Amino acid sequence: REAAERRAALEPLRRRARRAEETAHRLAAEQQALDRRLAAPEAFAGGSGPLVEAMRRRAELARLIAEAEAEWLAAEEAIEDAARL
């Protein structure tokens, strides 16, 4: 019974960790797709506007990925700490 209660108490942390992991993976996939676009020489031949926007988005994605990974790590650490109790 105590084990079931402990598992139930950890479930919100597990959901938080899963959401953060999924977010990090989704953002990383978007970043990889953007990197492929940036690597294509013809992608930005029409001017610098689209290139500037793509670089801004890439910087934003890097920040969001770092935040999601930090959230994921924090949730996993909280799970480990709670499991030790």
Side-chain angles (χ1 to χ4, degrees), residues 50-73:
L51 176 60
V52 169
E53 276 305 307
M55 293 303 294
R56 280 191 187 127
R57 180 60 181 159
R58 190 178 192 299
E60 179 183 25
L61 286 168
R63 181 185 57 79
L64 293 171
I65 290 167
E67 289 175 5
E69 288 175 343
E71 175 69 17
W72 180 14
L73 180 60

Side-chain angles (χ1 to χ4, degrees), residues 28-42:
E30 183 181 343
Q31 186 180 48
Q32 289 170 354
L34 183 57
D35 286 345
R36 284 190 296 276
R37 274 190 34 223
L38 287 167
E42 70 281 354

Side-chain angles (χ1 to χ4, degrees), residues 2-85:
E2 284 181 32
E5 289 173 357
R6 201 170 313 131
R7 279 192 306 274
L10 291 175
E11 188 52 36
L13 290 172
R14 287 192 177 104
R15 276 195 307 273
R16 184 175 131 202
R18 278 192 304 271
R19 273 195 313 270
E21 179 183 14
E22 290 166 0
T23 298
H25 286 299
R26 179 180 50 77
L27 292 168
E30 183 181 343
Q31 186 180 48
Q32 289 170 354
L34 183 57
D35 286 345
R36 284 190 296 276
R37 274 190 34 223
L38 287 167
E42 70 281 354
F44 304 102
S48 65
L51 176 60
V52 169
E53 276 305 307
M55 293 303 294
R56 280 191 187 127
R57 180 60 181 159
R58 190 178 192 299
E60 179 183 25
L61 286 168
R63 181 185 57 79
L64 293 171
I65 290 167
E67 289 175 5
E69 288 175 343
E71 175 69 17
W72 180 14
L73 180 60
E76 290 294 339
E77 287 175 352
I79 292 167
E80 288 178 19
D81 290 345
R84 282 187 225 139
L85 299 177

